[in-house]
Amino acid sequence: MRYPSFLVAAALLTAAAVLTSCSSAPVTGRQQLMLMSDSEAAAMGRDAYREILAEKGIASNAEQTAMVRRAGERIAAANAGLGGNWEFNLINDETPNAFALPGGYVGVNTGLFQVVHDENQLAAVMGHEIAHVIARHPEERISRQALIGTGTAVLGGAAPELADMAAAAATLGLVLPFSREQESEADTIGLQYMARAGYDPRAAVQVWRNFDALGQSGPSFLSTHPSPGDRIASLESQMPAAMKIYEASSAN
Ligand SMILES: [Zn+2]
């Protein structure tokens, strides 16, 4: 049978995008599908961040706010390639969680201080969140979603809806949980980030013990995430290398 030309064109465009749009994550070098530019992702991140801040409000605890900004800025300054355009805010939300969005927009919930008890532990969580952004995990999720959406549209002959589906997938990508692989990668990269900024990487293990003690599996609390036990085992296997970075850090 003959396919309508617009379907062939859409399929070819998709194939071309896949073939030409790969990138690799820092530290691990893992190959990633990447169908979104930095500037597109940053614009989405900025809009989502403004919405979250408007909805929940910036928290007023001056001491915790100062700690969040200090840890974030130390991590950004100590690690090459992180750039200087980060925004760190303490957010009114009692859920023990933190997040980071493309463009460098980081939010730490007031509730995170239920499980982080000092600046080293806070830096472990922030290093992990910053790692998600630097490794372009949100864009990777969006790219996978968009590809699935595009394929469905091509099969269903719904080419005019491609743009809509990509947009819906993009929105989903910002709110869906990260994959297990991405979580482990953010743990690995984040451990190096905090150590290079002079924060004791052993605090990362303590954070996951604290989450475990609270009966929760960590930020976002979803079953797709590695269990605290798995994360602790993995972090401990990487600890000798992280301690070398920490001991060599001039920020220490
Ligand atoms: Zn994560």
Side-chain angles (χ1 to χ4, degrees), residues 128-129 132 178 182-183 186 219 225 231:
H128 172 96
E129 294 303 329
H132 276 309
F178 293 118
Q182 289 177 324
E183 286 303 328
H225 282 212
R231 300 184 92 136

Side-chain angles (χ1 to χ4, degrees), residues 14-180:
T14 304
V18 173
L19 287 174
T20 58
S21 303
C22 289
S23 68
S24 59
V27 180
T28 64
R30 183 175 60 83
Q31 290 295 303
Q32 300 170 290
L33 172 69
M34 201 58 68
L35 303 178
M36 179 177 264
S37 74
D38 276 341
S39 60
E40 286 169 322
M44 279 177 45
R46 183 196 58 224
D47 290 351
Y49 196 64
R50 297 290 164 246
E51 267 178 46
I52 293 165
L53 291 190
E55 188 188 321
K56 296 185 173 172
I58 294 176
S60 58
N61 187 314
E63 194 188 331
Q64 290 177 346
T65 299
M67 200 191 284
V68 164
R69 298 211 165 124
R70 191 168 55 238
E73 279 155 20
R74 252 174 80 171
I75 290 168
N79 287 279
L82 266 59
N85 289 322
W86 293 85
E87 202 174 308
F88 303 103
N89 281 299
L90 182 69
I91 291 174
N92 269 325
D93 186 331
E94 280 310 304
T95 317
N97 207 350
F99 65 89
L101 297 170
Y105 303 98
V106 180
V108 172
N109 290 353
T110 46
L112 186 70
F113 286 88
Q114 292 172 50
V115 288
V116 302
H117 305 309
D118 60 35
E119 193 165 325
N120 285 306
Q121 293 176 19
L122 174 65
V125 175
M126 294 184 73
H128 172 96
E129 294 303 329
I130 288 170
H132 276 309
V133 169
I134 296 298
R136 304 182 71 194
H137 288 165
E139 297 97 301
E140 186 183 13
R141 286 199 61 80
I142 290 165
S143 298
R144 287 180 185 172
Q145 294 281 336
L147 187 67
I148 294 164
T150 305
T152 309
V154 169
L155 287 174
E161 292 167 16
L162 281 178
D164 280 353
M165 293 196 68
T171 308
L172 275 174
L174 277 185
V175 298
L176 282 174
F178 293 118
S179 70
R180 196 177 273 257

